[in-house]
């Protein structure tokens, strides 16, 4: 039983795991790298990964990348998140890069994709105060002018915009047709005049997401990514990629939370023996181990299907992977906290961080409710 990898993939997974242990294997290392968990991204660690060629894993070879498979990408994300590497920008960066690889102009690809390879962060901005799960309801306007485009509006929940070189903006260029018509993607350098990036205060005092305010922000005519008015369809073609990224990240997080729980209940003694030997905990751990194994099999099955059929929309399968992985990570973290008792709630241990990360994973990138709705629709419901 288990996922079968090639010898090269096994070596790659081992190399990433060893790197994570070396760079962030202790709590003291992680505290130093993250300012005691306030920063979720460490540029120095990210730069080392760039030097190893790992950040360009999914980037086409003509832009300095490796053009590796979806399976390889999932291995990288699983191992980095199991190793708790502080590289919070990697998910949004890979998602953004995937859109540029498909729809960007040669100049945009040179800028963004080569930037990813050398370690630059990138962000994608869709959500607005009145358009979260209902992305088609967005109202940030892009008006065509004699010189290019004039952008006005507010975006929110933009991950890592404050550390990104560029932002892939989805804005409304027309009100004609349905709400999913008239949306367009734009290439926006983060230092563009008229763009204000404001951090959002998060649980645990983390610095990760932002509000974006566009006030008479001027973009050149060639800032359009893909086709004008075709932004929604372009977004839909990237869902397999995005949801597999989020699923693999959550798989790694679930595995780490489980490992931390298992270590604690093996060492912690009550009533004269390790608490993990009591049936109440032993059975819970058995269930969690089973759920993690099922999740891993699902994710890599979908990744292999995506590699075999790169142009196929795997709406049901990708949504299942994202749903299963994030809900499993949440269950493992919450069960781990419960089994650790008061220690699970204490900042002395990593479990409270696991809980914070797992809870939000069921919200971003399409909530669990949205994923279930998508799956239901593919069943004809």
């Amino acid at each position: 039983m288990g996922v079968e990898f090639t010898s090269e993939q096994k070596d790659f997974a081992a190399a990433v795991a060893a790197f994570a242990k070396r760079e962030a294997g202790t709590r003291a290392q992680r505290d130093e790298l993250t300012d005691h968990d306030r920063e979720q991204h460490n540029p120095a660690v990210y730069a080392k990964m760039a030097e190893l060629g790992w950040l360009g894993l999914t980037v086409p070879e003509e832009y300095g990348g490796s053009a590796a498979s979806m399976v390889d990408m999932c291995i990288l994300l699983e191992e980095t998140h199991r190793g708790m590497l502080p590289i919070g920008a990697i998910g949004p960066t890979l998602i953004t890069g995937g859109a540029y690889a498909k729809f960007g102009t040669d100049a945009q690809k040179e800028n963004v994709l080569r930037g990813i390879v050398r370690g630059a962060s990138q962000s994608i901005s869709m959500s607005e105060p009145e358009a979260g799960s209902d992305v088609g309801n967005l109202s940030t306007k892009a008006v065509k002018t004699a010189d290019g485009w004039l952008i006005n509006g507010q975006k929110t929940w933009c991950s890592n915009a404050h550390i990104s070189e560029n932002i892939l903006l989805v804005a409304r260029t027309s009100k004609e047709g349905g709400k999913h018509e008239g949306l367009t993607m734009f290439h926006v350098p983060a230092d563009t005049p008229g763009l204000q990036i404001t951090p959002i205060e998060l649980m645990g005092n983390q610095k990760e997401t932002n509000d974006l305010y566009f006030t008479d922000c001027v973009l050149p005519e060639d800032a359009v990514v893909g086709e004008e008015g075709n932004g929604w369809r372009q977004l839909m073609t990237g869902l397999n990629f995005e949801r597999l990224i989020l699923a693999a990240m959550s798989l790694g997080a679930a595995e780490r939370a489980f490992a931390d729980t298992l270590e604690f209940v093996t060492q912690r003694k009550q009533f004269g023996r390790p608490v993990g030997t009591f049936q109440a905990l032993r059975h819970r751990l058995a269930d969690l181990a089973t759920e993690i194994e099922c999740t891993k099999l699902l994710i890599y099955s979908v990744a292999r299907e995506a590699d075999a059929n790169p142009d196929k929309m795997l709406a049901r399968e990708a949504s299942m992977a994202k749903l299963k992985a994030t809900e499993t990570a949440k269950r493992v973290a919450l069960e781990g906290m419960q089994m650790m008792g008061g220690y699970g709630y204490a900042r002395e241990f990593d479990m409270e961080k696991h809980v914070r990360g797992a809870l939000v994973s069921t919200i971003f990138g399409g909530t669990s409710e949205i994923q279930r709705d998508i799956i239901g629709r593919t069943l004809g419901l």
Side-chain angles (χ1 to χ4, degrees), residues 21-294:
K21 185 175 182 179
R22 182 172 65 251
E23 298 294 328
T26 68
R27 179 60 182 267
Q29 285 176 300
R30 293 192 295 276
D31 281 346
E32 184 176 353
L33 292 169
T34 63
D35 186 20
H36 296 275
D37 202 34
R38 294 182 181 87
E39 302 284 353
Q40 300 306 299
H41 183 80
N42 185 278
V45 172
Y46 207 56
K48 290 180 181 179
M49 291 180 62
E51 291 175 4
L52 291 166
W54 294 345
L55 299 184
L57 200 66
T58 60
V59 172
E61 292 179 353
E62 57 265 40
Y63 299 102
S66 305
S69 68
M70 297 283 267
V71 170
D72 295 325
M73 179 196 70
C74 288
I75 290 172
L76 175 67
L77 294 172
E78 178 188 358
E79 293 299 335
T80 54
H81 284 71
R82 174 159 49 188
M84 295 185 71
L85 280 172
I87 51 169
I90 194 169
T93 296
L94 292 180
I95 291 168
T96 305
Y100 277 97
K102 281 189 175 183
F103 305 110
T105 64
D106 289 342
Q108 290 167 349
K109 290 176 182 178
E110 283 287 339
N111 182 324
V112 174
L113 299 182
R114 288 197 182 277
I116 291 173
V117 171
R118 63 174 164 78
S121 301
Q122 315 290 341
S123 292
I124 183 168
S125 181
M126 294 179 285
S127 296
E128 297 182 1
E130 298 300 325
S133 296
D134 185 12
V135 177
N137 193 43
L138 62 81
S139 59
T140 294
K141 293 181 181 179
V143 178
K144 213 165 198 176
T145 67
D147 301 320
W149 297 90
L150 186 68
I151 313 293
N152 280 284
Q154 178 187 351
K155 311 295 283 188
T156 192
W157 305 119
C158 186
S159 297
N160 300 295
H162 60 298
I163 58 172
S164 293
E165 281 194 352
N166 302 287
I167 296 162
L168 180 59
L169 171 70
V170 184
R172 182 164 296 285
T173 50
S174 172
K175 289 187 176 181
E176 296 181 5
K179 66 180 182 180
H180 295 133
E181 303 297 323
L183 302 181
T184 303
M185 290 180 170
F186 291 93
H187 172 71
V188 185
D191 60 356
T192 299
L195 169 59
Q196 178 184 339
I197 300 174
T198 304
I200 298 173
E201 293 187 11
L202 300 177
M203 182 185 293
N205 197 29
Q206 296 180 59
K207 301 174 183 177
E208 189 172 2
T209 64
N210 307 269
D211 284 319
L212 307 184
Y213 298 93
F214 293 87
T215 305
D216 293 335
C217 184
V218 177
L219 300 178
E221 187 175 355
D222 62 1
V224 172
V225 179
E227 296 180 8
E228 178 184 342
N230 203 34
W232 177 259
R233 293 181 184 85
Q234 291 173 192
L235 284 172
M236 293 301 100
T237 65
L239 290 182
N240 294 349
F241 190 58
E242 176 186 0
R243 288 172 184 163
L244 270 174
I245 288 171
L246 300 176
M249 290 164 56
S250 290
L251 171 62
E255 290 171 329
R256 180 53 180 263
F258 180 85
D260 287 354
T261 302
L262 187 60
E263 180 180 16
F264 181 88
V265 301
T266 301
Q267 297 176 355
R268 171 72 169 166
K269 292 184 177 180
Q270 290 287 279
F271 305 103
R273 60 176 180 167
V275 295
T277 63
F278 290 98
Q279 188 182 73
L281 270 63
R282 188 168 67 245
H283 285 189
R284 289 163 87 169
L285 287 161
D287 286 343
L288 295 179
T290 303
E291 288 299 306
I292 291 172
E293 185 66 21
C294 290

Side-chain angles (χ1 to χ4, degrees), residues 328-343:
T328 297
K330 181 172 73 172
R331 178 182 173 187
V332 173
L334 288 172
E335 290 268 24
M337 177 173 280
Q338 186 70 26
M339 284 186 272
M340 287 177 66
Y343 292 105

